[in-house]
Amino acid sequence: MKELPIGRYTNYDTFLHRLDARFKLLAMILFMVIVFLHFPSRAMDFTFYGILFLFIFIFLKIAKLRFRQLLRAIKPMWFMMVFLLIINILVVHTGDAFYLFSFPIYYDALFNTAYIFVRLVLMLAFSLILTATTKPMDLTYALEWYLHPLTWIKVPVHIIAMVISLALRFIPTLMEDTDRFMKAQASRGVDFENGKLKEKVKAIISLIIPLCTSAIQRSSDLADAMEVRGYDPNGKRTRYRIMKFTHRDLFSFLFIALLFSGALTLSILGIDFYMGILL
Amino acid sequence: MSRINFDHVYYTYDVSSPLPSVALEDISFTLEGHFFSAIIGHTGSGKSTLVQQINALLRPTKGRVIVGEFEINEGKKKIKEIKSLRKNVGVVFQFSEYQLFEETVLKDVSFGPKNFSDSDEDATLKAKNALKKVGIKEEYFTKSPFELSGGEKRRVAIAGMIAMNPEILVLDEPTAGLDPKGAQEILDLFKELYDQGTSILIITHDMNLVLKYCNQVLLMHQGKLKGIYAPSELFYQEELLLETGIDAPEIIEIVKLCEENGLSLNRKEIKDITSLVREIKRCKGK
Ligand SMILES: Nc1ncnc2c1ncn2[C@@H]1O[C@H](COP(=O)(O)OP(=O)(O)OP(=O)(O)O)[C@@H](O)[C@H]1O
Ligand SMILES: [Mg+2]
């Protein structure tokens, strides 16, 4: 339980924390696009991945996040990666190969796996940095801001945003509840780690049922509390916190825009720094 | 004979996270023999954290806890031992009414004994006894626990632990949210269990109950143990109470007033209104 909150918001006051949530969301999307851009050669691809990793490293440093957290987030992926590698080795039969105990292994298979792995790690890292430096509430505001044009075609954007922010708000509560119920049932002799299938099922039931009932109870309480305080889903909403785009954001935006357009240009024009010498 | 020993226990939540929070600092004490003790302290002082060390739901970050023949330290212990530790020390949690999940009250209460490999009949028998003890009537046995009131649910949850017949019963705020009469009844029940040989450790914010029922008080303050006191001493130490944010029971004021007026009361004897009146009568009678 204690290990779960990966990418949880950290309450520091750093440059990254102070950036506008709307900008951070956009920046993350742009970074993700760069991750999936195709460059004319593998050397170029991996050069860009290297640059992105450099950025991630700098961001982690600026935001006072620990590199260990990222490693912990990656850990569960090992099994998947090994699996993927085996599949790739069996399926991909193009390009050059070398022989391991007279079994042909193609370089393309290795590269394919490396691509998937690196891209996943990059995506994970960027989203982790985003959620660790942005309050969930600000993130929903940002989302609402981007979705705002949809109100013209009668999509109830602020209701959706409210639902999202309530759901986010309940995550820590539910985790606390889970922790408490696990301990309570453990005191009654439930063993959540060992035991036969039947005992395991019983253990899970002893956890799920209290969780569901307390979640339903809590949400109905919350609904009442909102109603008595005059919440009207269709009313016009004003905002307590006004988001402001500052010089800091502008500067960062220009920087990211430059990086993004540079990467895009190189990709579209197919420019290869290495003139095809490498890989 | 029950024994709980804390040996320089530290506990920190989220040790490896960017925001660790120290909940227990250098706790050392021993509870021995047959006790009815209370843990008191301001909210957030680490009471619940302390209690969870006793049946290894949390393990000390540093130091060790010894309960009977079990030792709980930072390392991992085999599951079997943990299970028998949990059979010996029953912990009833704060807001225990939310942990019920079976279809009927009776089934829920017999869930614990069954987990400790009692046969179905034995478990049901123990459950029925426990339910009677906490004052749940027989016609409720086949009801769904979700149809009960909050106070009744709490009693059922407590029965769930009593049915396991632990040597030490630990309760985290068992009376919170109950009406005064309900709280009295629950504490009377603990007294009865105590008289039958169970050792009791309760966390409570109700100082009247502490004075009336407990023979020992552990006072927590900001993650540290201030000391172990007899209730009849603690509640007369104004400075200590002020520092730790504890309000003495109102009856203490009356005792002080009587003493100012020249009555030499025996403080040890005064546990509630009845005993106070008896004490005053004794003094006046002289
Ligand atoms: N799951 C947790 N994660 C992080 N910190 C926690 C957690 N549970 C408790 N704490 C912190 O540990 C400290 C002690 O908490 P604890 O629950 O033991 O207090 P308490 O004395 O039982 O309070 P109360 O009377 O309100 O129940 C508090 O400062 C609290 O913020
Ligand atoms: Mg508590």
Side-chain angles (χ1 to χ4, degrees), chain B residues 42-49 52 94-95 172-173 203 205:
Chain B
H42 207 259
T43 173
S45 58
K47 304 181 294 295
S48 301
T49 312
Q52 288 169 43
Q94 227 165 340
F95 312 114
D172 196 345
E173 301 194 24
I203 295 178
H205 288 286

Side-chain angles (χ1 to χ4, degrees), chain A residues 12 183-185 188 191 202, chain B residues 18 52 79 99 102 108 115:
Chain A
Y12 298 136
K183 284 176 177 168
Q185 306 299 23
R188 296 215 271 166
D191 186 346
K202 191 81 180 178
Chain B
Q52 288 169 43
I79 318 297
Q99 75 190 32
E102 285 278 20
D108 202 285
N115 280 328

Side-chain angles (χ1 to χ4, degrees), chain A residues 2 8 176 179 183, chain B residues 11-14 19-24 39-52 58 94-95 172-173 203-205 220 223:
Chain A
K2 269 166 251 143
R8 183 172 69 171
E176 242 169 62
D179 189 46
K183 284 176 177 168
Chain B
Y11 188 83
T12 311
Y13 282 101
D14 307 323
L19 310 164
S21 86
V22 180
L24 295 181
I39 304 181
I40 65 171
H42 207 259
T43 173
S45 58
K47 304 181 294 295
S48 301
T49 312
L50 189 152
V51 155
Q52 288 169 43
L58 297 176
Q94 227 165 340
F95 312 114
D172 196 345
E173 301 194 24
I203 295 178
T204 181
H205 288 286
M220 293 289 296

Side-chain angles (χ1 to χ4, degrees), chain B residues 52-199:
Chain B
Q52 288 169 43
Q53 315 279 334
I54 301 176
N55 73 346
L57 289 169
L58 297 176
R59 282 155 174 274
T61 326
K62 218 175 103 189
R64 59 187 187 154
V65 177
I66 298 170
V67 179
E69 73 231 56
F70 305 98
E71 176 175 332
I72 306 154
N73 48 31
E74 303 119 89
K76 284 256 173 206
K77 264 232 153 149
K78 270 188 276 164
I79 318 297
K80 237 191 181 141
E81 288 179 57
I82 281 194
K83 232 177 162 174
S84 60
L85 167 68
R86 290 190 179 149
K87 186 169 165 35
N88 278 312
V89 183
V91 178
V92 179
F93 274 81
Q94 227 165 340
F95 312 114
S96 49
E97 57 270 33
Y98 296 110
Q99 75 190 32
L100 309 176
F101 73 98
E102 285 278 20
E103 297 125 72
T104 69
V105 168
L106 190 62
K107 266 193 179 176
D108 202 285
V109 175
S110 53
F111 177 64
K114 266 189 217 161
N115 280 328
F116 291 109
S117 49
D118 270 1
S119 69
D120 280 8
E121 299 95 73
D122 279 358
T124 311
L125 195 69
K126 285 181 182 170
K128 279 183 180 165
N129 281 332
L131 280 166
K132 265 180 215 143
K133 274 189 187 160
V134 298
I136 296 284
K137 289 191 213 84
E138 200 139 346
E139 60 255 38
Y140 281 66
F141 287 8
T142 51
K143 269 197 179 185
S144 155
F146 300 109
E147 291 167 14
L148 306 182
S149 80
E152 287 162 349
K153 278 186 204 162
R154 178 83 56 87
R155 282 160 194 258
V156 171
I158 293 173
M161 200 47 76
I162 292 176
M164 286 162 43
N165 196 20
E167 221 173 287
I168 305 173
L169 186 58
V170 182
L171 303 115
D172 196 345
E173 301 194 24
T175 61
L178 294 185
D179 59 300
K181 187 162 161 282
Q184 287 274 351
E185 280 170 14
I186 292 270
L187 260 294
D188 283 332
L189 164 71
F190 298 154
K191 183 80 173 52
E192 199 186 313
L193 290 172
Y194 169 71
D195 291 336
Q196 288 163 10
T198 312
S199 287

